Amino acid sequence: MSAPQSIRSASLRGALALVATGVLAVAATLTAAGPAHAADSLGSAAAQQGRYFGAAVAANHLGETPYAATLDAEFTSVTPENEMKWDAVEPSRNTFAFGSADRIVNHARDRGTEVRGHTLVWHQQLPGWVGQLAAADLRTAMNHHITQVMTHYQGKIRSWDVVNEAFQDGSGGARRSSPFQDKLGNGYIEEAFRTARSADPDAELCYNDYNTDGANAKSDAVYAMVKDFTSRGVPIDCVGFQSHFNSASPVPADYRANLQRFADLGVDVQITELDVEGSGPAQATSYANVVKACLAVTRCTGITVWGITDMYSWRAAGTPLLFDDAYAKKPAYAAVLDALGGTSTEPGTPTPTPGTGSCTAVYSTSQAWNGGYNGQVTISAGNAPVSGWSVTLTLPEPQRATSLWNAVASWNGAGSVATVRNASYNGTLAAGASTTFGFTVTTHGNPAPPAVADCTAA
């Protein structure tokens, strides 16, 4: 089931063909790296699988401490819920308002978190002036809107939902009536993607829709369009599957096979708006099945849940998310983390005694591919406990980090040097204990390893 029209709808380009899995020790001190540590957050666990794990975010909740803390601790990608839709960023023609969207983007970039742009062309949440335009003027306005928005965020947003929900339900895969379809015809989707590629050649361009999670008339129509686009060189890089589920619309038995058939066309696939109404084991099993399906498809590059806490979900009465109203982790959270291969810290786990002491930092490359890598830093306390830690991370130019997990980073203006500090949950270490943080880097042609130095204990 898809989200209501008022708030419905939300990738990391597929660099997942690993060409090396090396361990390259670059120690901040002459300390041998310890054994690998199991990931203890959604984002870190997904990263160890070569995926991102994201959440839809509302700018007006970022000032709430538990909301922001949960976002920063658990997720490695964010999607603005409504702040990038047409009525929000261009309410009147040629007048752009990016304030709320900028707040989300800046929050994410300050923490090394990936951003998905959502959405450029959609039949809903359009300001009234758009629908009043004649065909030629509408084409000009659509292309101008795409260009202006993508240019504003060029280099800051890795992937965009270029066109959203262009196909109708229950009509044999027909195109949905909209100002764009009715006045510009079927070609408007291709034109939108070509304009988007020109506006930001480095961004990943996605088509996004709902009720396409299994093979049906609607998903068949989307499949035919994507197949046509890839055969003719139309610039499409990924397909998003919203994946809104409940007892009446469960995870389809052919969910994984459907993802795979799209991936076989040479595009990435992402789960873009996942939520599952329900509770307890049934909800947990559905979430785990979605994660397992994504992990089974090499080109499934990430998962985004449509919100953080049940309290703010568009389906709040159905309690569809991984955190309850009090931000407590639900059984579904544990099921997702387990499916990703991570480990959860359960309530009642003893907390190391806070203290002050020394620490060491050891870097290793956990995964590498053509154009990027995942790095991991192991922080170890010395002979005394510590209650916080920080290190300096320096990326060789022109490398840039696209995500960071299990830590908080403050980057310099160029984005190449960061002071990385512990997250709220992994700063306190007993004597001799260790924790890790990780990050994903785009190399831009320079595969040299980063430098990690100056481990400082609080």
Side-chain angles (χ1 to χ4, degrees):
M1 174 176 287
S2 180
Q5 300 290 346
S6 61
I7 60 173
R8 188 181 61 216
S9 297
S11 228
L12 185 42
R13 186 172 298 203
L16 300 176
L18 301 182
V19 297
T21 302
V23 176
L24 181 60
V26 182
T29 62
L30 297 178
T31 304
H37 295 271
D40 57 1
S41 71
L42 300 171
S44 60
Q48 290 188 357
Q49 301 287 348
R51 272 78 170 169
Y52 66 81
F53 203 98
V57 174
N60 62 328
H61 296 314
L62 288 176
E64 301 171 24
T65 298
Y67 186 94
T70 305
L71 170 65
D72 296 345
E74 294 288 347
F75 300 99
T76 54
S77 175
V78 301
T79 300
E81 287 188 10
N82 294 291
E83 290 81 355
M84 288 182 179
K85 292 171 183 173
W86 200 316
D87 62 349
V89 296
E90 194 184 3
S92 59
R93 191 167 189 178
N94 296 325
T95 300
F96 290 86
F98 293 111
S100 293
D102 284 351
R103 186 179 180 192
I104 293 174
V105 172
N106 292 338
H107 182 96
R109 284 174 57 80
D110 286 346
R111 290 154 181 80
T113 301
E114 189 80 19
V115 182
R116 297 189 76 254
H118 176 78
T119 177
L120 295 168
V121 180
W122 187 34
H123 66 282
Q124 286 289 325
Q125 293 182 240
L126 286 173
W129 64 268
V130 176
Q132 298 171 5
L133 300 177
D137 216 11
L138 178 62
R139 172 173 281 107
T140 298
M142 181 187 77
N143 290 327
H144 181 70
H145 178 82
I146 294 169
T147 300
Q148 293 300 306
V149 175
M150 292 188 71
T151 299
H152 178 80
Y153 290 111
Q154 188 167 13
K156 298 180 180 179
I157 293 183
R158 183 56 182 261
S159 58
W160 280 98
D161 291 330
V162 178
V163 176
N164 193 52
E165 301 175 0
F167 289 82
Q168 184 64 48
D169 281 329
S171 300
R175 298 289 181 94
R176 179 189 297 277
S177 176
S178 72
F180 309 103
Q181 180 67 38
D182 298 345
K183 297 177 183 180
L184 304 181
N186 289 351
Y188 87 88
I189 301 178
E190 177 176 340
E191 184 168 356
F193 274 87
R194 292 192 183 279
T195 299
R197 178 66 88 225
S198 297
D200 187 351
D202 295 326
E204 183 179 34
L205 308 181
C206 309
Y207 175 79
N208 190 54
D209 216 325
Y210 69 99
N211 286 352
T212 57
D213 305 296
N216 54 42
K218 186 175 183 180
S219 65
D220 287 348
V222 176
Y223 178 87
M225 179 189 72
V226 176
K227 183 177 182 180
D228 173 59
F229 280 8
T230 57
S231 70
R232 295 190 294 110
V234 178
I236 185 170
D237 305 305
C238 72
V239 178
F241 299 82
Q242 293 184 18
S243 298
H244 298 292
F245 300 122
N246 60 21
S247 59
S249 179
V251 181
D254 61 349
Y255 187 70
R256 184 180 75 177
N258 190 51
L259 297 179
Q260 186 64 62
R261 69 164 176 159
F262 278 87
D264 289 342
L265 294 176
V267 296
D268 291 340
V269 293
Q270 286 104 30
I271 315 306
T272 56
E273 304 182 20
L274 175 64
D275 53 17
V276 182
E277 287 190 318
S279 63
Q283 183 185 50
T285 298
S286 292
Y287 264 107
N289 287 341
V290 170
V291 173
K292 292 173 184 177
C294 180
L295 295 180
V297 177
T298 301
R299 296 199 68 149
C300 182
T301 56
I303 298 170
T304 297
V305 289
W306 200 246
I308 297 172
T309 167
D310 284 340
M311 175 171 53
Y312 295 136
S313 170
W314 66 280
R315 310 166 90 184
T319 61
L321 296 173
L322 300 176
F323 296 87
D324 67 16
D325 289 357
Y327 294 92
K329 299 171 182 176
K330 296 161 62 175
Y333 174 97
V336 168
L337 195 61
D338 182 66
L340 290 169
T343 59
S344 179
T345 300
E346 299 298 333
T349 300
T351 300
T353 302
T356 58
S358 62
C359 63
T360 59
V362 176
Y363 169 77
S364 63
T365 299
S366 56
Q367 293 177 324
W369 55 86
N370 185 21
Y373 61 87
N374 284 337
Q376 178 173 285
V377 176
T378 300
I379 305 293
S380 300
N383 294 327
V386 302
S387 56
W389 49 263
S390 66
V391 297
T392 300
L393 172 65
T394 303
L395 303 178
E397 291 288 353
Q399 292 183 13
R400 291 295 181 269
T402 58
S403 64
L404 181 140
W405 53 94
N406 285 357
V408 177
S410 299
W411 293 90
N412 66 351
S416 58
V417 180
T419 298
V420 181
R421 302 179 300 281
N422 58 273
S424 60
Y425 53 85
N426 66 350
T428 301
L429 301 174
S434 299
T435 189
T436 63
F437 71 89
F439 48 93
T440 299
V441 170
T442 301
T443 61
H444 297 294
N446 182 3
V452 181
D454 302 327
C455 190
T456 302

